């Protein structure tokens, strides 16, 4: 039976789609691509497109082994059909995030075929997870990881509950997962498959444990073989390719050896899992839930996601994105449509009330503290609306259900997008600076970037040549001297991009362009007028060249 075959299910899909479209359009309207993760992913897609090298991810002319290529390939495929546009860049992750909603419903249906309520509630709970919907509209690889992770799990469930032919689909999904996140993906899926004897307790399996493990080994090995073969072909095309880094094994071992302290995750859990972590009925329902094999499977699935986030996650928010689908399924399963009490609503209400107070009085803080000027433009109406919403939530506690909690997160995201993100656009928007650099590139002007460069201008300016990256101002001083002696005309035209802490009068007089950027300033000025004393801290960066011997006599990097 198709998941959309029942009228009530189709109506819920329409509801998910409408809410999701509203969130997507809001996100697209309120913000440009965010530096530095979104702009870096976009830059890699642009460089693969503009150079025609679709095999290896490059960033500013340098191999970027930390960027799995699948999301970039998807974007380039859309560009080939419709042309290069930022809309299509965002559309690729949008399709994956909405696909995650559908796959969450499908997983719930396969686990509990006769309980329609679970598969209709689970995607709504996913939409109502604050951090997930906050990041699910972003152009980041974690969205692709979440999609292919739950796609793999769906095939795993089918192989468990229906027929072993679905191992073919599992192998294909696993391969796509490897291309979406590198070697990390092994940890997201393989341990769950290996735990088969622990969560298959009562249901009669269609295959034995021995055959299950054999199929798991064969399907994952075939996918890994193709993945390694791609890296080897990349190595043959460019001997500078480090296969271990390109596959993601080097980064994986580094992350495992240097994980984030578990205490930091515990502190941030109420925010990361808002509002569900602050909803007491969930814990009560979980305590009295009847644990069958499908629910036990979900527990192992969730535990595996959480363990991987602790081992290889960076910040405590985006690594937990793959956890949200299974969390939504568990909550939908244990949900009982019981009456809430005021004490149940209180934690969520206080968070909403505090957020509303902060939004309402944020402009007043500018007079007391040195804050960015865009805060003056934040309308207190968004904060007042949140406060009214939170108070009404408390007063109407008995009518609070899971649907209401989902609406809380959606309301918070709308308030943040329109109240803060939209107003702070000029605080981090790099598009104007990128257009200036694009104009300079067309005039064949040499451009230098001082400090670490994460390709944040490449897509917005559609730059076709790498920027010269110099580690710090002392090396730049040596560069100026060498360039002036060897090619004076080129030296006179060269521009430098840097980020001073203070906008001095000298910078304002000599700069071709400057703007406020994330608490500092972004400045483009002639190299001949650059003065390292103008409010610029020295930058130590191991990711860029830091030796004057790496610069040839024409001022270019090898």
């Amino acid at each position: 039976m198709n998941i959309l075959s029942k009228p009530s299910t189709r109506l819920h899909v329409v509801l998910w789609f409408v809410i999701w479209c509203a969130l997507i359009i809001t996100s697209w309207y309120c913000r440009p691509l965010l530096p530095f993760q979104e702009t870096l992913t976009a830059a890699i897609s642009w460089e693969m497109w503009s150079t025609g090298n679709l095999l290896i991810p490059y960033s500013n002319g340098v191999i970027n082994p930390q960027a799995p290529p699948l999301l970039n390939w998807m974007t380039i495929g859309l560009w080939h059909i419709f042309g290069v546009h930022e809309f299509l860049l965002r559309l690729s992750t949008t399709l994956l995030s909405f696909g995650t909603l559908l796959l969450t419903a499908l997983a719930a249906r396969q686990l509990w075929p006769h309980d329609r309520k679970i598969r209709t509630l689970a995607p709504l709970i996913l939409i109502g997870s604050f951090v997930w919907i906050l990041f699910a509209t972003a152009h980041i690889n974690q969205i692709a990881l979440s999609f292919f992770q739950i796609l793999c799990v769906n095939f795993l469930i089918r192989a468990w509950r229906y027929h072993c032919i679905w191992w073919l689909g599992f192998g294909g999904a696993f391969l796509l997962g490897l291309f979406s996140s590198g070697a990390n993906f092994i940890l997201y899926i393989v341990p769950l498959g290996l735990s088969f004897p622990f969560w298959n307790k009562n249901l009669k399996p269609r295959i034995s444990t021995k055959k299950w493990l054999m199929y798991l080994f064969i399907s994952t090995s075939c996918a890994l073989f193709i993945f390694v073969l791609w890296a080897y072909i990349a190595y043959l095309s460019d001997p500078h390719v480090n296969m271990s880094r390109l596959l993601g094994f080097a980064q994986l071992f580094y992350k495992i050896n240097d994980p984030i302290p578990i205490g930091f995750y515990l502190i941030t859990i109420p925010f990361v899992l808002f509002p569900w972590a602050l909803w007491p009925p969930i814990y009560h329902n979980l305590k009295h839930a009847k644990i069958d094999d499908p629910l036990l499977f979900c527990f192992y699935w969730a535990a595996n996601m959480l363990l991987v986030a602790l081992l290889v996650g960076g910040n405590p928010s985006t690594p937990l994105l793959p956890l949200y689908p299974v969390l939504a399924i568990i909550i939908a399963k244990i949900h009982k449509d019981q009456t809430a009490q005021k004490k149940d609503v209180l934690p969520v209400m206080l968070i909403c009330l505090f957020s509303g107070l902060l939004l309402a009085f944020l402009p007043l803080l500018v007079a007391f503290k040195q804050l960015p000027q865009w805060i003056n433009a934040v309308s207190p109406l968004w904060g007042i609306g949140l406060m009214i919403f939170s108070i009404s939530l408390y007063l109407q506690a008995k009518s609070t259900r899971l649907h209401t909690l989902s609406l809380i997160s959606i309301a918070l995201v709308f308030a943040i997008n329109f109240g803060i993100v939209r107003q702070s656009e000029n605080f981090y928007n790099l598009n104007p600076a990128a257009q200036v650099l694009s104009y300079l590139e067309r005039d064949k002007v040499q451009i230098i970037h001082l400090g670490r460069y994460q390709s944040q201008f490449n897509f917005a300016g559609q730059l076709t040549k790498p920027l010269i990256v110099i580690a710090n101002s002392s090396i730049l001083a040596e560069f100026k001297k060498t360039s002036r002696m060897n090619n004076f005309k080129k030296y006179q035209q060269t521009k430098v991009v840097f980020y001073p802490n203070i906008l001095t009068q000298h910078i304002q007089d000599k700069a071709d362009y400057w703007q406020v950027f994330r608490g500092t300033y972004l400045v483009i000025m002639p190299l001949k007028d650059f003065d390292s004393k103008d409010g610029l801290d020295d930058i130590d960066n191991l990711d860029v060249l830091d030796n004057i011997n790496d610069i040839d006599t024409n001022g270019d990097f090898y």
Side-chain angles (χ1 to χ4, degrees):
M1 183 185 296
N2 190 283
I3 188 174
L4 304 181
S5 60
K6 296 294 183 180
S8 62
T9 306
R10 290 198 296 267
L11 288 175
H12 276 82
V13 172
V14 172
L15 175 63
W16 310 332
F17 183 72
V18 170
I19 295 175
W20 196 241
C21 284
L23 291 168
I24 293 297
I25 293 171
T26 298
S27 176
W28 290 356
Y29 172 76
C30 290
R31 64 171 178 83
L33 295 175
L34 295 174
F36 294 95
Q37 195 169 7
E38 281 191 294
T39 52
L40 176 59
T41 307
I44 294 171
S45 297
W46 166 250
E47 193 153 342
M48 294 173 78
W49 163 272
S50 61
T51 61
N53 185 352
L54 304 181
L55 190 62
I56 308 171
Y58 278 84
S59 172
N60 197 49
V62 180
I63 297 171
N64 192 324
Q66 300 183 24
L70 183 60
L71 186 58
N72 307 111
W73 289 341
M74 291 181 60
T75 301
I76 291 170
L78 290 173
W79 284 349
H80 271 291
I81 299 172
F82 301 106
V84 178
H85 198 280
E86 183 180 316
F87 167 78
L88 297 172
L89 191 78
R90 295 171 180 260
L91 182 63
S92 57
T93 45
T94 299
L95 294 175
L96 291 176
S97 58
F98 184 71
T100 303
L101 294 178
L102 296 177
L103 289 175
T104 300
L106 182 59
R109 179 190 179 275
Q110 293 181 140
L111 289 170
W112 297 279
H114 304 296
D115 196 335
R116 193 183 308 163
K117 188 174 183 179
I118 300 175
R119 65 175 179 263
T120 55
L121 272 180
L124 189 60
I125 295 169
L126 185 57
I127 294 178
S129 301
F130 174 70
V131 172
W132 195 84
I133 58 174
L134 198 62
F135 285 99
T137 58
H139 188 71
I140 55 178
N141 282 308
Q142 284 84 352
I143 302 303
L145 166 62
S146 299
F147 175 83
F148 290 109
Q149 175 262 147
I150 194 169
L151 181 63
C152 266
V153 170
N154 269 281
F155 281 116
L156 204 63
I157 297 171
R158 282 192 169 271
W160 171 37
R161 302 294 298 273
Y162 299 103
H163 198 280
C164 60
I165 191 66
W166 293 108
W167 283 106
L168 294 174
F170 172 83
F174 188 76
L175 175 62
L176 293 174
L178 291 172
F179 279 112
S180 72
S181 60
N184 286 356
F185 196 75
I186 299 173
L187 297 182
Y188 283 93
I189 297 299
V190 173
L192 179 61
L194 293 175
S195 63
F196 173 76
F198 300 98
W199 42 259
N200 188 75
K201 295 291 187 180
N202 301 310
L203 291 177
K204 184 179 179 181
R206 293 183 176 272
I207 58 175
S208 64
T209 299
K210 183 178 179 180
K211 284 189 176 180
W212 173 276
L213 296 177
M214 180 187 69
Y215 284 129
L216 178 67
F217 175 78
I218 292 173
S219 55
T220 53
S221 297
C222 290
L224 280 168
F225 174 78
I226 298 173
F227 188 50
V228 173
L229 181 62
W230 160 74
Y232 181 68
I233 295 173
Y235 169 75
L236 293 179
S237 67
D238 189 341
H240 294 97
V241 171
N242 185 317
M243 285 185 59
S244 177
R245 294 191 67 195
L246 190 62
L247 293 169
F249 285 105
Q251 297 92 314
L252 177 60
F253 292 138
Y254 172 78
K255 290 177 180 178
I256 291 176
N257 290 328
D258 188 27
I260 284 186
I262 189 172
F264 189 65
Y265 271 93
L266 294 177
I267 293 173
T268 56
I269 279 294
F271 168 74
V272 173
L273 298 183
F274 181 85
W276 315 114
L278 300 177
W279 184 240
I282 288 177
Y283 303 103
H284 178 268
N285 295 343
L286 184 61
K287 183 179 178 180
H288 296 88
K290 181 182 178 181
I291 300 179
D292 52 11
D293 278 11
L295 186 57
L296 190 61
F297 169 81
C298 289
F299 287 155
Y300 274 91
W301 178 10
N304 185 58
M305 296 298 102
L306 187 58
L307 182 60
V308 173
L310 292 173
L311 286 176
V312 302
N315 61 75
S317 54
T318 52
L320 288 175
L321 288 180
L323 172 65
Y324 283 97
V326 62
L327 180 68
I329 293 173
I330 292 174
I331 294 174
K333 168 58 180 174
I334 66 173
H335 168 67
K336 292 182 175 62
D337 198 14
Q338 61 190 27
T339 302
Q341 302 177 22
K342 290 187 182 297
K343 65 179 182 180
D344 298 329
V345 180
L346 186 61
V348 178
M349 186 273 291
L350 290 176
I351 294 293
C352 287
L353 186 62
F354 176 77
S355 301
L357 285 170
L358 187 62
L359 270 177
F361 292 100
L362 196 58
L364 300 179
L365 298 178
V366 177
F368 300 97
K369 300 197 73 173
Q370 190 175 0
L371 297 175
Q373 290 301 310
W374 63 263
I375 292 179
N376 283 318
V378 175
S379 173
L381 294 178
W382 292 104
I384 294 171
L386 275 179
M387 286 190 289
I388 294 174
F389 188 84
S390 61
I391 294 171
S392 63
L393 174 69
Y394 184 73
L395 295 176
Q396 302 294 327
K398 289 187 177 182
S399 60
T400 301
R401 299 289 188 271
L402 291 180
H403 300 74
T404 310
L405 293 186
S406 296
L407 290 175
I408 290 171
S409 295
I410 294 168
L412 275 172
V413 170
F414 277 120
I416 290 173
N417 279 335
F418 284 104
I420 295 180
V421 176
R422 178 65 177 168
Q423 306 305 326
S424 63
E425 177 184 348
N426 293 332
F427 188 65
Y428 58 84
N429 187 3
L430 292 172
N431 290 339
Q435 294 305 313
V436 173
L437 295 179
S438 177
Y439 176 80
L440 293 173
E441 184 187 71
R442 288 196 296 270
D443 281 355
K444 299 181 180 181
V445 173
Q446 181 175 252
I447 304 170
I448 298 170
H449 189 279
L450 181 58
R452 185 181 183 184
Y453 182 57
Q454 301 183 60
S455 303
Q456 57 264 31
F457 302 113
N458 288 35
F459 172 72
Q462 298 195 358
L463 306 181
T464 57
K465 295 180 181 179
L467 272 63
I468 298 174
V469 182
I470 295 182
N472 55 54
S473 55
S474 59
I475 298 176
L476 184 61
E478 292 291 329
F479 179 87
K480 286 179 61 176
K481 181 179 178 181
T482 305
S483 181
R484 185 170 55 246
M485 289 188 300
N486 289 281
N487 193 333
F488 185 75
K489 182 178 179 181
K490 189 174 184 179
Y491 162 76
Q492 287 287 102
Q493 296 177 339
T494 299
K495 308 293 182 180
V496 59
V497 183
F498 64 105
Y499 306 86
N501 296 321
I502 302 171
L503 195 67
T504 63
Q505 189 62 47
H506 171 73
I507 292 176
Q508 296 185 56
D509 292 341
K510 300 295 184 180
D512 294 319
Y513 174 84
W514 67 267
Q515 70 174 70
V516 176
F517 178 68
R518 298 181 67 170
T520 60
Y521 297 91
L522 189 162
V523 177
I524 303 173
M525 72 157 40
L527 176 62
K528 59 185 178 65
D529 297 321
F530 175 78
D531 187 346
S532 60
K533 297 178 181 179
D534 283 326
L536 186 69
D537 291 335
D538 232 20
I539 303 171
D540 292 323
N541 190 343
L542 299 177
D543 292 336
V544 294
L545 298 174
D546 57 358
N547 193 319
I548 196 64
N549 295 325
D550 293 321
I551 306 172
D552 70 3
T553 54
N554 293 319
D556 295 326
F557 279 54
Y558 286 112

